């Protein structure tokens, strides 16, 4: 919150802060929030705040902020031989997975088919 207040003039105007005013740090903001919660006034405060927005026909929509970033990665250039080897390695790994799954299924079926006290 401290960063947003410092970074955005709209936040400063909303909080009625002048450029010469000190910006509250995150600990101060957190302490104020916790005090409002302990005094059980935070809900009433937000109700009045939302009422003031409604009176001015400002309707708040809740949503989700998604932050994305693009990272450049080096392109991998495989020779045909490396490509074939990687493809074969992947095929072999998948085959091993399938053999393992089949063995597990057989073991499970076998343990389910035997009588526990037999």
């Amino acid at each position: 919150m401290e960063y947003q207040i410092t970074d955005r003039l709209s936040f400063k105007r909303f909080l009625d802060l002048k450029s010469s005013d000190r910006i509250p740090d995150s600990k101060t903001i957190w302490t104020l929030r916790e005090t409002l919660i302990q005094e059980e006034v935070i809900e009433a405060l937000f109700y009045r705040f939302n009422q003031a927005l409604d009176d001015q026909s400002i309707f708040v929509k809740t949503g989700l902020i998604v932050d994305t970033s693009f990272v450049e990665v080096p392109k991998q250039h495989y020779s045909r031989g490396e490509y074939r080897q990687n493809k074969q390695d992947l095929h072999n790994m998948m085959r091993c997975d399938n053999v393992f799954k089949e063995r597990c299924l057989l073991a499970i079926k076998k343990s389910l088919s035997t009588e526990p006290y037999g």
Side-chain angles (χ1 to χ4, degrees), residues 22-86:
R22 281 188 54 215
I23 305 298
D25 63 358
S26 57
K27 174 101 172 134
T28 303
I29 295 168
W30 180 263
T31 304
L32 173 63
R33 181 180 182 277
E34 290 300 308
T35 303
L36 293 172
I37 291 170
Q38 287 175 357
E39 297 294 322
E40 298 179 354
V41 295
I42 197 162
E43 287 183 25
L45 180 66
F46 274 104
Y47 177 80
R48 291 176 81 185
F49 175 72
N50 285 327
Q51 195 64 42
L53 292 176
D54 290 345
D55 292 346
Q56 294 184 22
S57 299
I58 300 172
F59 301 102
V60 179
K61 294 182 180 179
T62 59
L64 178 68
I65 296 175
V66 178
D67 185 18
T68 61
S69 58
F70 294 95
V71 178
E72 296 228 6
V73 295
K75 293 182 181 177
Q76 295 181 352
H77 299 284
Y78 292 116
S79 68
R80 287 181 188 217
E82 290 173 321
Y83 177 78
R84 284 189 192 116
Q85 184 61 47
N86 287 342

